[in-house]
Amino acid sequence: MDINLFFQGYDSVNGYQQSILQDIDDCIHFRRCVVTSRDNDGKDRYDPGKYVKVDYDMCANARYEYCMDMNSLLPLDREVLTAMEPYEPTAVKMLCRITDFDIFTYDEAKRFYLHHLRYWNDIFERNHINFVFLTGIPHHTHDYIIYALTKVKKIPMCILAPTHLPHWCFVGNDLYRLYERLDAAYEKRKKSEEDVILPEDVEDYYQALLRENKQQKMQVMLGSGSKKEHARKEKRQIMGYVMRDKIIKRQLSRVKHGLAGAVKSRSLSFWKESRLWMKKDTYCIQKVRHKLKNCMTIEDYEKMAVMPDMTHEKYVLFLLHLQPEATTLPQAGVFVEQELCVQLLASVLKEYNIRLYVKEHFVQPYRMKHFYEDLRGTENVTLVSSDAESVDLLAHCVAAATPAGTVSIEAIANGKPVFVFGHGGFEHGPGIYQVGNEKQCREAIEHILKDGHVPTQSVRNYFRAFVESGICIYSPIEGADPEKVEQSRRSVVELAVEEIRRAYTEKFLRKQDKKTRERCNT
């Protein structure tokens, strides 16, 4: 059977991406490969007769109409549109990734969504894609649509999903079931009483999570620099779309591109396209600035928040996620609006005379006014200053809570249970309670109040199970040790080949079994 592969490309230098695909081809001999190109130095070389190279930036910024005649694409039919309906709201919401702000009207967002869907449906159909390999969590509209099309077309898939542990990834076949291999590995290990030996980098991360190693945690989580420097850097990244220097750089680049294209082609079409792009970019800038007028800053939040007394009342700690980020969109699932988690949990905790402390992420530069107002107006909720130390808050809490964030493993490493609302992959570990309704929240809190401590041995076994079920990847553009980069490259090749062979061996066996049954029935 011919394999037609879609491969979500890595950031590549020195032919890194090309070498991965070449090695996969040497093992399974695919007929066709579509790859989203993120070539940083132009050294990846692909045979146009075998490869379809798609520009990643074109997809991420929804610029299909600037690069092709949309009339050349297959039209969308009822079957595809209907099958994609459950995925459409999430895909549309992800359009905020273009500017880091949710600025598009419904009609504008729908148009972008349909452009993405039409383009990728055409790619899948014309190239007869029958295996999809994703090298990250699909958190842009285009790669989430790729994921969704893979699901609705029932195409075998493998996902490498980065985690809170630097360089370590889940290996899964479904974005919302990343826990499956980890759970299976933990089931084998959880009764073991032997000392658990972790790889050096995982051991360092585990130790950094412990309360007594507070300074080490800051170094692991933030790298070099202080919290203020980290917040300043993050704010510049999120607010970059409307920063004057970045606007000038972006617009000048487009002017140069348009003029160079016009001179090379001896046609004004390139220049006209660039002018149109700049006009739309200016429109988006104006929309973002208008949006900011309806936002509150973290300084506004601090005026509502308090420094808590951690020793005189029972509380559960809810640490808000930085947004936009993949741990909420898409991994929080239906709880991407974090106030929903707060409202559900606060209501149940009140029955047990337990307060819900909600703490803002210290690098979140803005939120919509109604977000903070809704939180402040929720009964049984205390807004906690972002300056309060999360480590100390965790030490005195009854439990922690998160959609799908780092706190899920930080809490259990320190013996504290945690409520998880989303699908980050760690939702079934020791002391972790996945909840989504009042009944589940009550059952979890009653179990926690009865026996809330999470044994260290269980947690270390869980970390070991993660190592055994996951994969470690070092990027070639991060300045990592070349040996680690090469080992990572080989690991990706081996995994891709193994997953493709497993998917199609099983598919072949199922077909053979069906034929056997049909013969027996005859």
Side-chain angles (χ1 to χ4, degrees), residues 365-522:
Y366 69 91
R367 298 222 192 238
M368 294 299 293
K369 288 180 182 178
H370 65 73
F371 180 81
Y372 288 141
E373 289 168 355
D374 288 349
L375 290 182
R376 183 170 59 174
T378 302
E379 193 174 2
N380 197 38
V381 167
T382 298
L383 299 183
V384 174
S385 171
S386 64
D387 291 330
E389 286 288 352
S390 298
V391 173
D392 297 329
L393 285 164
L394 273 174
H396 296 95
C397 70
V398 173
T402 178
T406 313
V407 71
S408 60
I409 55 175
E410 182 179 354
I412 64 171
N414 287 281
K416 295 290 184 176
V418 59
F419 298 87
V420 172
F421 290 83
H423 310 276
F426 290 114
E427 54 262 45
H428 296 154
I432 299 177
Y433 300 85
Q434 190 175 35
V435 296
N437 56 46
E438 288 186 337
K439 180 183 177 183
Q440 291 170 344
C441 288
R442 287 191 188 95
E443 289 174 350
I445 195 64
E446 286 176 6
H447 193 276
I448 288 168
L449 291 174
K450 183 179 178 181
D451 184 19
H453 181 72
V454 185
T456 298
Q457 182 70 20
S458 297
V459 177
R460 289 187 63 81
N461 274 325
Y462 191 61
F463 270 70
R464 183 66 208 180
F466 170 72
V467 169
E468 292 170 355
S469 61
I471 186 172
C472 190
I473 302 295
Y474 285 83
S475 169
I477 66 167
E478 294 176 349
D481 181 345
E483 287 189 16
K484 290 182 178 179
V485 172
E486 175 57 22
Q487 179 57 52
S488 299
R489 192 192 70 81
R490 289 197 302 267
S491 295
V492 172
V493 171
E494 290 169 6
L495 177 65
V497 171
E498 177 187 343
E499 288 292 303
I500 292 169
R501 284 177 172 165
R502 183 172 65 86
Y504 280 95
T505 298
E506 288 180 359
K507 192 171 183 179
F508 174 77
L509 290 174
R510 284 197 299 270
K511 284 183 178 180
Q512 292 299 105
D513 187 49
K514 183 179 178 182
K515 289 178 182 177
T516 301
R517 288 198 306 271
E518 288 173 351
R519 284 198 301 271
C520 291
N521 291 336
T522 302

Side-chain angles (χ1 to χ4, degrees), residues 304-368:
M304 307 178 193
V306 299
M307 289 298 290
D309 183 346
M310 305 175 201
T311 59
H312 286 80
E313 69 177 342
K314 289 183 177 181
Y315 65 89
V316 168
L317 175 64
F318 188 98
L319 299 175
L320 291 169
H321 283 273
L322 174 67
Q323 288 181 294
E325 65 170 7
T327 47
T328 49
L329 185 64
Q331 289 188 298
V334 295
F335 288 101
V336 61
E337 312 297 347
Q338 296 180 81
E339 61 267 36
L340 298 176
C341 306
V342 171
Q343 291 159 6
L344 176 59
L345 192 53
S347 174
V348 174
L349 291 176
K350 185 183 177 185
E351 300 172 14
Y352 298 86
N353 198 29
I354 298 173
R355 196 82 178 160
L356 182 61
Y357 283 6
V358 177
K359 179 175 179 283
E360 178 60 289
H361 197 297
F362 72 94
V363 302
Q364 182 71 45
Y366 69 91
R367 298 222 192 238
M368 294 299 293

